[in-house]
Every structure is written in structure tokens, then in C-alpha cells.
Amino acid sequence: MLLLRGARAASTVVAQGASGAGRGISIRLTAVAALSSGGRRRKGQRRGEAKAPSPPPPPPQPLPRHGETPSSKKKSGARPAVEAKKNRPAELEQARGPRSPERGGARKGGTPQQQQQQEKAKAKRAVRWKCASGCGACCKLDKGPDFPTPDEIFADHPDDLQLYRSMTGDDGWCINYDKATRTCNIYQDRPSFCRVEPKVFDEFFSVPRNRFDREACSACLDNIKMVYGDDSAELGNFKRVIRDESKKMELEASKNQDKLLDT
């Protein structure tokens, strides 16, 4: 609009005449030029002087990465975060110090000395059965209502059931048992159910081999208590025999273990 107004004013001055025309035209064109050059003059700018060129814009800065802020930048010389994380486990291990090998060995079963002590403790808890001479409590075939009946024991062995009944005397004792000497008259030829052996216990009582000694000792204890009583000499004698036999087993196990360690 200012340029159009300036053009119209210039044509009006030319139509009025030659006198003073050059002066009027120059004044108006100067004013128009000043307006078209940028509007208001800046401080220190003369009339009619072109405006100084503006400084170039600063170069564009790279955009921050996802999740990164300007304040999160590391100072010069600082280690990257990835490297610090990698070195962190090593620093923790250095702070904790070396692990004790004894402690790890104790968790896995202990040192060889500790394992040997554990084996000895297990051997002490184990028992070994042995018949005590001069007892004869097992020859009392009619054992009373507190024990399984012959029909229950020999349910799958009818021939053994018939033989068992034929051997039972009127007093409940075996007819082949000598009460005076407390010995068996047919000991070498006694039937299988009179033999305290792992095979017999497995066949008649379903007792596995690893439980034979303990079950056999328990059966003898029950028979001795039933026949002779809880405070009988026969019971004390049987316990002594079992203790001695179990100690022998412990010594044998210890010697075998020493041989293995030596080899």
C-alpha cells in the first residue's frame, strides 16, 4: 500500500507543472524508499541507509537420543555407563574378597575328615543281627494273640503251614527243642521258616535286604520279652551280643574305608 501511495503522489506532482517538480519528487521518493527498506529505523541507523545484514543463524544442534536429557551428559573423562556396569561385578568381588574353599566344601559334604566322621556315625547307628546261644525264644511256636497267626504268615505257603502245625507241641513249644540244653535237635536240617536269613524274611515278611538286620533284631527282642520278660537275663545277653556284633561291623567298615583312601 505504501508503494502504491508513493506512486500516485509522484504522478500528481508531475501534472501540476515544471516549477518545483524535481524537488517534490525527490522528497517523496526518498520517503518511499525509506519505508520499503524495512519500516522503522534501528538505533544508530541514518535516514536512507540500508539495514545491516542480520547475523547467520547458529548451526543446528543434534537432537538428544531417546531417554537422554542435556543434564544426563557425562563430564569429560568419565567412563561410559556400559563399561561401568561391566566392571561392577568385578568391583563387588574385590570388595567381598576371595571365597573360602572350606566353606564350599562343607556345603557339598564337608572335607574328607568330616565325611569319614559322618560315615562312622552312620555305622554306629547301624546294627547287625546275630543269634545269641542259650536263648531258644524263637522255638516257642505258639506265640499268642500279640503276634501274627500261622495262617496269616503262611497264607501263600500251605505246605509250610502244615509242617509248622505238626511241629507245634501241646505246650506251644517246638517238639524238636530241647529245653534242658536250650538247643535244637534238628538244627542242621531245620525247615526254611526256622532260619533267620534275608531270603526268608523277604519271602515270608516282604522285608528287603537293607532292612534285614534291624527287622531280625526287632523280632528277636519281641520274642525274648514275650517268653522271658523285659528284665530277663536272656534279653540283656541278646543286647550285649548285638552291641558287640555291631561294633565289629563298624570296625570292618572303617578298615575298608581306610583301604580305599590309601589306594
Side-chain angles (χ1 to χ4, degrees):
M1 293 297 292
L2 295 176
L3 292 175
L4 291 175
R5 288 184 63 185
R8 289 176 182 176
S11 62
T12 304
V13 173
V14 172
Q16 288 178 358
S19 61
R23 182 180 179 183
I25 292 171
S26 62
I27 294 173
R28 287 174 173 80
L29 289 177
T30 302
V32 171
L35 291 172
S36 63
S37 62
R40 296 182 59 183
R41 293 192 304 271
R42 300 180 64 183
K43 185 176 181 181
Q45 181 182 1
R46 296 181 180 180
R47 183 186 298 274
E49 184 179 358
K51 184 174 67 172
S54 58
Q61 298 293 334
L63 296 175
R65 296 181 181 179
H66 180 69
E68 182 182 1
T69 59
S71 60
S72 64
K73 293 182 178 180
K74 302 291 184 180
K75 296 182 180 180
S76 60
R79 286 188 293 179
V82 177
E83 184 179 357
K85 290 181 179 180
K86 290 182 179 179
N87 295 334
R88 189 173 300 169
E91 295 175 358
L92 292 175
E93 292 295 333
Q94 293 177 359
R96 292 174 182 173
R99 295 183 179 180
S100 175
E102 297 180 358
R103 198 175 291 176
R107 293 177 181 176
K108 296 181 180 180
T111 60
Q113 293 79 5
Q114 292 176 347
Q115 292 179 358
Q116 187 175 2
Q117 292 177 358
Q118 292 175 0
E119 293 295 333
K120 288 183 179 180
K122 290 181 180 179
K124 289 180 180 179
R125 291 194 296 268
V127 294
R128 177 180 290 180
W129 176 87
K130 185 179 180 180
C131 181
S133 60
C135 176
C138 59
C139 296
K140 181 69 179 297
L141 300 184
D142 187 4
K143 301 183 184 302
D146 294 336
F147 292 80
T149 63
D151 294 332
E152 294 173 350
I153 298 174
F154 301 106
D156 298 331
H157 305 82
D159 295 338
D160 292 325
L161 175 60
Q162 185 177 359
L163 179 59
Y164 189 89
R165 286 178 174 173
S166 64
M167 293 171 56
T168 307
D170 296 337
D171 56 356
W173 287 84
C174 178
I175 58 176
N176 299 302
Y177 175 67
D178 189 351
K179 295 180 182 180
T181 59
R182 291 190 177 184
T183 57
C184 177
N185 296 327
I186 58 170
Y187 185 81
Q188 300 298 331
D189 299 327
R190 67 192 186 278
S192 60
F193 54 77
C194 290
R195 301 176 184 269
V196 184
E197 299 175 354
K199 181 180 178 180
V200 176
F201 270 62
D202 186 14
E203 183 178 0
F204 290 98
F205 306 105
S206 300
V207 175
R209 177 64 183 87
N210 59 344
R211 292 176 51 192
F212 163 71
D213 288 284
R214 191 169 294 275
E215 293 293 333
C217 291
S218 177
C220 286
L221 288 172
D222 293 339
N223 277 274
I224 294 172
K225 290 179 181 179
M226 184 267 298
V227 176
Y228 300 111
D230 295 343
D231 299 328
S232 60
E234 290 81 1
L235 183 62
N237 182 46
F238 177 75
K239 290 181 179 180
R240 180 185 57 79
V241 171
I242 296 303
R243 282 196 300 267
D244 294 342
E245 193 67 19
S246 300
K247 287 181 181 179
K248 290 180 182 179
M249 180 180 63
E250 178 185 347
L251 293 175
E252 291 175 1
S254 179
K255 290 179 180 180
N256 293 334
Q257 189 173 10
D258 292 340
K259 289 180 181 179
L260 292 175
L261 293 176
D262 293 340
T263 56

